[in-house]
Amino acid sequence: MAAPLRLVKGQDDARQPREKLRILSEIERKVLWLSSWTIHNANHVRPARDGLKVGGHQSSCASAATLLTALYMDVLRPHDRVAVKPHASPVYHALMYLLGKQSQENLELFRALGGAQSYPSRTKDADDVDFSTGSVGLGVGVTLFASLVQDYARMHGLNADESGAGRMVALMGDAELDEGNIFEALLEGWKHDVRNLWWVIDYNRQSLDGVVNDQLFQKIQSFFDTVGWNVVTLKYGKRLEAARHGPAGEALLQWIDECPNDLYSALTFKGGEAFREHLKTELQGTSGLGELLDSHDDLSLHRLVTNLAGHDMESVLEAFHGAADDDRPQCFVAYTIKGFGLPLAGHKDNHAGLMNPDQMAAFKASMRIPDGKEWDPFAGLEAAEEELTEFLREVPFAADAVRRHNAPQITVPKSFPVPSGTTLATQQAFGQIMNELAQGDSTLARHIVTTSPDVTVSTNLGGWVNQRGLFSRKERPDVFREEKVASVQKWVRSRDGQHIELGIAENNLFLTLAALGLSHSLFGARLLPVGTLYDPFINRGLDSMFYACYQDARFMAVATPSGVTLAPEGGAHQSINTPLIGMSIDRLAYFEPAYVDELAAIMAWGMRYMQEDDGGSVYLRLSTRALEQPERSLSDADRQAICAGAYWAVPPAPGCDLAIAYAGAVAPEALAAHAELLDDVPGAGLLAVTSPDLLHAEWLAAGKRRAAGDRTAQSHVETLLGQLGSGAALVTVLDGHPATLSWLGSVGDYRVSALGVEKFGQSSDIPDTYRLHGIDTDAILDAAAAACLARLR
Ligand SMILES: Cc1ncc(C[n+]2csc(CCOP(=O)(O)OP(=O)(O)O)c2C)c(N)n1
Ligand SMILES: [Mg+2]
């Protein structure tokens, strides 16, 4: 039973519930209008230049107008954070417009350059979007991990907000529940006992292509029950609830209950007359039916039968306020109608459907909007402008409070100490660097948080976790240790722990990194998140990784082992395409060091980069192959070159016409081939590439600067390769797709022979697999010989 409507804490006591309801309903009406008009304007009013449909989702907006109005105009507080379903973007912008946080100009430019974004965007929208959405399911999922991160920040005393925990809210489409990542997140949330989480399902029973399965609500109920959420169903609005006690009331509600989703939608679209016909036939003989039908004309019958709670402000407020003081995760299943209040309501094809100009004109008239007053915040409403202005000024969500924090940066040394040892793998060295960081009690170490999807130990994070412990809201000792069962792993769970152990789902890893990587801004807690996984499974979490970068979360993803170098594991675990992913994701700097002194410098650089305003995230592609380490001590300039993406391991003789460029674990093959080549080409160069990504990005940027008139612009790679002769041959090699380095030829006039992995691999040892893929010493020598011969021709 829902709680009665009541005022919430901190709200103006003078404001009476009835009055509030009336004004909120007015605002809801305005929001419905503005969202519809924003889309209409973009499609039908604003001049089109390319003949392309602009699009927008009037029906998806209408479906969510009541729920979002209730949330933003009454229920939410400034420290709550929200993911709004992508297709309700115009509703969000309309609400922010009314609250003075969005401009009319941006609404007019909806979906145009610089205007309000198609889908809410944390980085591109001007009106303080908390979580970007677009790829359905991910915005929902990230709220769950944000609640975990909020707890982490609070329990580590790092959060800026003193006003208690905020709610992490998702206003989601019902079809988002088809996305697997939702269920992966739910299970993980259950394990971590997440709190202060609200998922509001806009249960319009329609997706893009049509109407969803009947009885879906039962499944929803049981999914959420299973993981300990409280489920609140908002089904009938107040008018239908009242009708229950009138003539044929119970029968009517039962008929709606049993009505298949597609029939209910179709009748909603057709109108009151269609409902009447069906009720007459299907409830024939029901006592009171005649009285019920006779007391309504078609319009009012339609209003009655479509009075679902998700469009009934009073019911919505009751449900939300009824749950307000409970920190248990809440799922609200709000029955709605896609296109409610529009001529598109209920039609199965309405997802991308737009009102045509005639329909819009009629809708505008029904909204009492005079010509020229389309953007007026108050036109067509019954409440007086002063009253509405006063109400909007008092909206709790809009109270003067910092919603985007800015946590100070943590100092990071120039480089971390280089792990000692003559033969080491980068993965092993990563573990040692983290282990050493864990030992001191530096400020830096206190702000690092690690996470891994069940590969903590196998990616060498064990040492860090032994010292820093696992994060858990509930303390739990290491039972194996207490029972004196010998193990090198010490897994104590506590609120102080600095490692978030996840189940295997890589989507969850990247959504956790997304939430951790925004914590400085969301909660004022500067965290330096480091997440480990096996490189091939970047593909598994790719959309979430992309999503994290899209909203400018800052993290370090350490992917190991990688490539075919993990040879015996076979084709299913050998990653080929990940270097190209590293290069092509914006705001992500991909590195593939071969040696551990490079790694130590890159990790320190990365932790600085993660904190810079115009920085980004970092992806380290590491290996389990132990390499003999060079005996050297890096200078600042060396480290600078390493972090810029490349250096000459052996500089070429000036004007020399041959060089080998390698990245990562194939260094020994490149070195061996280079040593052999020196007999024939004494000045041949050997280029160590540590980041194909930064090298490439900076090269493109320099080209753009030159095109813009800066003649002095020169990139690091141009300086390096400029030491070669014109037309020099370049053999590139890495354990990854050859396109990663093949572009080097275009940096100057160079002929590239690009070696790399193009085919799925199979189980074998390194000599076999390198030979199979043509990245061994012989293949490099063959490519160099062929390149030299081609030059002579
Ligand atoms: C990952 C992903 N796949 C497909 C789409 C295309 N798409 C956009 S909305 C939608 C259906 C959404 O239905 P629902 O979540 O129920 O939203 P509503 O009915 O409220 O519009 C689909 C398939 C998408 N945005 N993201
Ligand atoms: Mg839907």
Side-chain angles (χ1 to χ4, degrees), residues 542-560:
L542 186 54
D543 200 20
S544 300
M545 185 188 200
F546 177 91
Y547 174 70
C549 294
Y550 178 70
Q551 50 186 339
D552 205 20
R554 303 299 180 82
F555 58 87
M556 182 177 281
V558 180
T560 182

Side-chain angles (χ1 to χ4, degrees), residues 194-214:
V194 287
R195 304 273 118 189
N196 300 300
L197 190 56
W198 278 23
W199 285 4
V200 182
I201 302 176
D202 179 351
Y203 192 56
N204 59 27
R205 290 144 290 125
Q206 284 187 246
S207 58
L208 191 158
D209 281 338
V211 179
V212 307
N213 300 43
D214 295 325

Side-chain angles (χ1 to χ4, degrees), residues 284-299:
Q284 203 178 21
T286 305
S287 138
L289 182 66
E291 196 183 332
L292 170 71
L293 295 180
D294 290 347
S295 61
H296 290 87
D297 61 14
D298 286 345
L299 199 63

Side-chain angles (χ1 to χ4, degrees), residues 60 85 87 134-136 173-176 179 202 204 206-208 338 351:
S60 301
K85 71 170 187 176
H87 303 80
S135 180
V136 301
D174 44 3
E176 298 202 54
E179 290 289 357
D202 179 351
N204 59 27
Q206 284 187 246
S207 58
L208 191 158
K338 195 154 170 170
H351 182 76

